Amino acid sequence: MFHTLLIANRGEIACRVIETARAMGLRCVAVYSDADAGARHVQMADAAVHIGGAAPAESYLRGEAIIAAAQATGAQAVHPGYGFLSENPDFVAAVEAAGLTFIGPSARAIRAMGLKDAAKALMEEAGVPVVPGYHGADQSEDTLSRAAEEIGYPVLIKAVAGGGGKGMRLVERAADFAEALESARSEARTAFGNPDVLVEKYIQKPRHIEVQVFGDGTRAVHLFERDCSLQRRHQKVIEEAPAPGMTQEMRAAMGAAAVRAAEAIGYSGAGTVEFIVDGSDGLRPDGFWFMEMNTRLQVEHPVTEAITGVDLVEWQIRVASGEPLPVAQEALTITGHAFEARLYAEDVPAGFLPATGTLAHLAFPAGCRADTGVRSGDTISPFYDPMIAKVITHGPTREIALSRLRAALKGCEVAGTVTNLAFLGALAAQEGFARGEVDTGLIARDLDRLTVVPEVTAADLAQAALVATGLDGASGPLAGFTLWQPLARQVGLTAHGEDHVVTLRVSGPDHVRADVGGEEVTCTRYGSLWRIGGRPAVAAHRDGARITLFRAHGLSLSIVDPLARAAAAGAGADVIEAPMPGLVKAVFAEAGETVTEGQRLAVLEAMKMEHALLAPRDGVLAEVMVSAGTQVEAGAALIRLEASEEDAAA
């Protein structure tokens, strides 16, 4: 067994690995970038080594710097986590050449599964069913479009070196194929350095079910399945184990196929075999096909741990140190049901744009497992994935586990940045999902209902006004009074882009009347607790001008600064701004050009994804203020249109 382990990663997964390694008595070494000098994983480790700049290419993707850090600190093994270098066979080879142990599969196994086209061919040889498609070396547009016609629309274009939905496009008509191919190739080239794609049949009512496998290089076992069908733009949102509606016959068939896949490449360590499943007529043993194998620990591994009682990180470390597989297949069983929800810093109303910001407050309720790499006061950086935490619940039945997930999401407190918490709460309460009727199109079909912005009530505004004025704080005999006269004070608030004025009239240290647009809300304190309009006040947090009420998964209100409002009043509506920090990947227009509403003008790359910036209306471009390769901050002016005739006349 090793005595010192280096974790070649950051954030939530680095913290997760450290927790198990420390419990096993191992010394842990962290690595960190400029942006992560004070990060939670650095604080948790026994030692930490700085490896470069904030951008991944300058730090977490620098294999030679990571290996040097391991050698300098006496580490004997390297755990890659997921992402970054976890599936890079050249890094694995370099780790082993340096006399260190890589905690994961061999470079040969990673290469075998690294390209989707080659992996599918290998799986066919091993007797694993694969989806009909084109996986050839000829990457010409004519060949690919002809293959799509032969397969039959709709088809999926997928990057052969891809993952996480990047470089993937759904094409439903032949007329859209060329544009989708160009877009997929561009994103694939950026994300993976490889523009090659494959084309495969799109399953009409697909479910995404994956099987956790674990091997020792010769033999493998499976730890049952996870259903990851709740996805948005091919990104997983809520995962569960076991899969709803799964039969023993289907589970046995999928498990056996996954084990064949792992043993065919001599797999060692934790891996996941992902299948696309036809859910149109129930789960059938002849209705699943191999998609890809992830040769690493998955983000959603906690749900498997919850239902099996297995610590997969501990298994990884033990098998990498030379121990045999801990148990035989027949000793593995399923107990209960588990869910995982991915909590992200995302602006849902703006189209799920990744968000940044400082976490002014972060707390999780009792009764759930929260895997996180951040704390109150930490910053969500534009350089990395904007995950805040994974919220995991377990129960004896699916119904109970889901009820616990809903309660856990309601109890999460996040302030300082926008999140997808309300979206997760709505999804966990969605009727079809509650019945186990899941497929990869569920979110898209019900997106409008799932993204409804929660209503801000008069009581919410009254409580926010108390927080804004400090009247929610400690009571005192003169609180709220000046020279024998009750204090009346107006507070301007903004919620969901709408302005409100609340007038507070204090008639005693524990009694305030709030006038909210003509509606009176009585606020009374009993001991240390306020009741607002007859209901108990909710927990709240103020950070500068932002107030967060921890109700309805978090309501964010802003205190209006009249001076700032006046200064911004003259801002025009014809400037296209960066919706988030990022890199301008491409610019498709120039000053003087006439454009139409919805025309793609530029592409901004941020949080590992590409975002198209579109013309807000027909018009003429007055100025293009950026060029490809420019790094910009959120809110930076990028392109300006000439004033419309109506504006000019005004």
Side-chain angles (χ1 to χ4, degrees):
M1 178 56 68
F2 320 114
H3 60 69
T4 300
L5 171 66
L6 181 139
I7 299 90
N9 217 297
R10 67 174 301 279
E12 167 268 322
I13 187 57
C15 296
R16 163 71 187 91
V17 173
I18 290 172
E19 286 172 354
T20 287
R22 293 288 292 275
M24 295 175 69
L26 303 184
R27 176 173 171 263
C28 297
V29 178
V31 292
Y32 65 92
S33 69
D34 288 347
D36 281 340
R40 182 171 182 257
H41 75 282
V42 173
Q43 180 190 48
M44 290 176 65
D46 297 289
V49 179
H50 176 251
I51 54 170
E58 300 170 358
S59 50
Y60 298 107
L61 292 175
R62 292 182 61 214
E64 73 286 355
I66 291 170
I67 291 170
Q71 293 172 324
T73 55
Q76 302 153 293
V78 174
H79 194 301
Y82 53 70
F84 295 134
L85 294 170
S86 62
E87 294 179 281
N88 185 316
D90 294 335
F91 177 64
V92 177
V95 167
E96 294 175 345
L100 306 170
T101 297
F102 180 79
I103 298 184
S106 66
R108 182 183 62 81
I110 293 175
R111 286 193 177 95
M113 288 299 183
L115 297 178
K116 290 186 176 67
D117 49 356
K120 288 180 186 294
L122 181 61
M123 290 301 97
E124 282 187 293
E125 292 179 15
V128 180
V130 300
V131 178
Y134 174 79
H135 314 122
D138 185 347
Q139 290 287 305
S140 68
E141 182 178 329
D142 286 346
T143 296
L144 293 170
S145 61
R146 192 163 52 249
E149 293 281 2
E150 293 172 358
I151 294 165
Y153 287 94
V155 298
L156 272 180
I157 300 173
K158 299 169 70 173
V160 300
K166 299 175 185 65
M168 182 184 295
R169 297 293 184 273
L170 169 62
V171 190
E172 301 188 78
R173 305 180 307 150
D176 300 329
F177 187 84
E179 182 179 348
L181 176 62
E182 179 187 357
S183 178
R185 281 175 165 167
S186 174
E187 193 167 272
R189 186 180 292 108
T190 296
F192 314 112
N194 184 346
D196 289 354
V197 299
L198 57 83
V199 182
E200 66 183 23
K201 181 66 178 174
Y202 180 71
I203 309 301
Q204 294 287 359
K205 284 194 174 181
R207 287 177 63 177
H208 182 140
I209 300 178
E210 60 190 32
V211 177
Q212 176 72 60
V213 294
F214 207 101
D216 63 4
T218 303
R219 297 180 306 112
V221 296
H222 71 84
L223 290 89
F224 314 108
E225 80 282 352
R226 298 184 288 257
D227 195 306
C228 305
S229 299
L230 288 192
Q231 301 180 7
R232 186 180 176 278
R233 294 181 180 173
H234 308 292
Q235 295 282 356
K236 300 168 186 175
V237 179
I238 295 180
E239 302 100 343
E240 63 180 298
M246 180 60 68
T247 65
Q248 285 298 111
E249 184 183 17
M250 175 84 160
R251 177 173 291 131
M254 292 187 77
V259 167
R260 284 200 302 274
E263 291 183 345
I265 59 172
Y267 196 81
S268 178
T272 298
V273 182
E274 300 195 352
F275 296 99
I276 191 76
V277 177
D278 182 357
S280 60
D281 190 25
L283 299 182
R284 310 180 312 278
D286 63 346
F288 69 92
W289 301 273
F290 173 86
M291 283 199 304
E292 62 182 336
M293 183 175 184
N294 290 305
T295 51
R296 53 170 167 77
L297 197 65
Q298 288 280 90
V299 176
E300 58 272 21
H301 75 273
V303 293
T304 294
E305 294 183 324
I307 66 167
T308 61
V310 169
D311 184 328
L312 288 169
V313 174
E314 181 178 346
W315 276 30
Q316 284 185 299
I317 294 171
R318 292 196 179 282
V319 169
S321 70
E323 295 184 16
L325 284 174
V327 300
Q329 185 67 63
E330 54 270 19
L332 291 164
T333 57
I334 296 174
T335 301
H337 206 98
F339 288 92
E340 173 184 289
R342 301 189 186 194
L343 175 59
Y344 279 96
E346 282 184 330
D347 190 343
V348 173
F352 293 83
L353 288 179
T356 57
T358 298
L359 293 168
H361 175 81
L362 179 65
F364 302 99
C368 73
R369 169 178 166 180
D371 285 11
T372 182
V374 290
R375 306 145 298 184
S376 294
D378 285 349
T379 297
I380 303 297
S381 167
F383 295 102
Y384 313 116
D385 187 272
M387 178 183 283
I388 296 173
K390 302 182 310 195
V391 179
I392 304 110
T393 59
H394 179 254
T397 66
R398 185 178 189 272
E399 183 180 12
I400 292 173
L402 184 55
S403 177
R404 289 175 177 171
L405 179 65
R406 295 186 192 117
L409 293 172
K410 286 181 180 177
C412 290
E413 298 181 357
V414 189
T417 184
V418 294
T419 75
N420 66 338
L421 190 53
F423 169 69
L424 293 175
L427 186 54
Q430 204 263 2
E431 298 88 345
F433 179 45
R435 293 191 296 267
E437 299 168 0
V438 296
D439 65 75
T440 58
L442 183 149
I443 289 176
R445 290 193 302 271
D446 207 17
L447 189 60
D448 288 344
R449 280 205 307 159
L450 294 172
T451 54
V452 170
V453 177
E455 180 184 357
V456 176
T457 67
D460 294 326
L461 292 164
Q463 182 175 351
L466 290 181
V467 175
T469 56
L471 290 173
D472 65 324
S475 174
L478 299 179
F481 285 81
T482 59
L483 292 177
W484 321 109
Q485 294 292 324
L487 173 66
R489 181 171 175 182
Q490 285 192 335
V491 180
L493 297 167
T494 299
H496 304 325
E498 184 176 350
D499 290 345
H500 304 268
V501 175
V502 180
T503 301
L504 300 177
R505 292 184 175 85
V506 183
S507 54
D510 301 316
H511 190 80
V512 179
R513 287 180 295 115
D515 184 315
V516 183
E519 180 179 348
E520 184 172 289
V521 179
T522 300
C523 309
T524 306
R525 176 165 28 204
Y526 299 91
S528 61
L529 302 177
W530 282 93
R531 293 187 70 83
I532 313 292
R535 77 174 195 201
V538 299
H541 186 274
R542 176 176 176 179
D543 178 37
R546 176 181 288 185
I547 294 171
T548 305
L549 302 181
F550 298 119
R551 186 187 75 77
H553 302 96
L555 297 175
S556 180
L557 304 95
S558 297
I559 304 169
V560 174
D561 180 344
L563 294 178
R565 177 64 54 84
D574 293 329
V575 176
I576 299 172
E577 299 179 342
M580 72 199 82
L583 177 73
V584 177
K585 184 72 183 303
V587 177
F588 304 111
E590 57 186 30
E593 182 177 340
T594 300
V595 298
T596 58
E597 180 179 347
Q599 181 176 333
R600 190 167 67 151
L601 303 181
V603 172
L604 184 70
E605 181 184 79
M607 305 289 189
K608 307 179 185 177
M609 299 289 283
E610 291 188 353
H611 307 271
L613 302 179
L614 310 179
R617 60 171 174 82
D618 295 350
V620 176
L621 298 186
E623 189 177 7
V624 177
M625 294 169 271
V626 291
S627 58
T630 305
Q631 186 77 34
V632 296
E633 295 297 320
L638 307 181
I639 298 171
R640 182 172 63 84
L641 278 75
E642 290 184 359
S644 64
E645 293 182 5
E646 293 82 355
D647 290 340

